[in-house]
Amino acid sequence: MRKAQRFNFIEGFDTFGVPDALPQLPLSLTYRDSSVQVSALLDTGASVNVLPYSVGVQLGATWEEQTTSVILAGNLASVEARGLLVSAQMSDFAPVRLVFAWSLSDDAPLLLGRMNFFLEFDVCFYRSQLAFEVRPKA
């Protein structure tokens, strides 16, 4: 079994501006020959991974080349999104392919959701300890 990596929650603010500690994961995203270091919010309630528009641009993606439309829900329901497949690496784990709903907005946070981050990794939250562990799927 692969070992888990432990991360601390990051102090920040929730969507209402209230101070909180959030499970944010530092990772490197790569698309074609471009890479960017980001911090993504782990969101077990998110159906899909969500990528803000500017991060996709930093990766060198071209909006018009992405032809798969993605329907977002909740607060992001009015935002147009298209599918974008990138390579992601965190800690010393092997890179994995993650599919993102690349939003046409920077108001959308960088989210790691059920499709497909939580299919690639097992995550245990220790909220009382302000920590979480990530382990690649077996």
Side-chain angles (χ1 to χ4, degrees):
M1 180 183 299
R2 293 184 177 172
K3 291 190 175 197
Q5 176 73 39
R6 191 173 179 102
F7 299 90
N8 292 320
F9 278 49
I10 304 297
E11 296 291 326
F13 297 91
D14 68 12
T15 56
F16 302 105
V18 176
D20 199 0
L22 305 171
Q24 294 186 342
L25 182 66
L27 67 155
S28 175
L29 299 178
T30 303
Y31 179 76
R32 296 184 179 155
D33 294 325
S34 297
S35 292
V36 63
Q37 301 296 316
V38 295
S39 183
L41 178 65
L42 275 68
D43 187 349
T44 60
S47 298
V48 296
N49 301 325
V50 178
L51 189 70
Y53 182 75
S54 63
V55 177
V57 171
Q58 289 176 44
L59 286 168
T62 304
W63 182 260
E64 294 76 21
E65 290 177 3
Q66 311 315 313
T67 58
T68 303
S69 182
V70 178
I71 305 297
L72 297 174
N75 296 348
L76 301 175
S78 64
V79 178
E80 183 179 354
R82 298 185 180 172
L84 184 67
L85 183 65
V86 303
S87 176
Q89 183 168 16
M90 67 239 32
S91 188
D92 58 353
F93 300 146
V96 296
R97 294 176 75 172
L98 295 179
V99 62
F100 281 90
W102 181 26
S103 68
L104 191 56
S105 170
D106 280 329
D107 292 333
L110 203 163
L111 299 177
L112 297 174
R114 296 189 309 267
M115 180 53 76
N116 67 326
F117 180 80
F118 288 101
L119 293 176
E120 296 293 331
F121 295 93
D122 293 323
V123 180
C124 291
F125 293 95
Y126 304 101
R127 179 64 169 103
S128 66
Q129 299 173 31
L130 295 177
F132 62 97
E133 290 181 348
V134 178
R135 175 186 327 249
K137 69 180 179 182

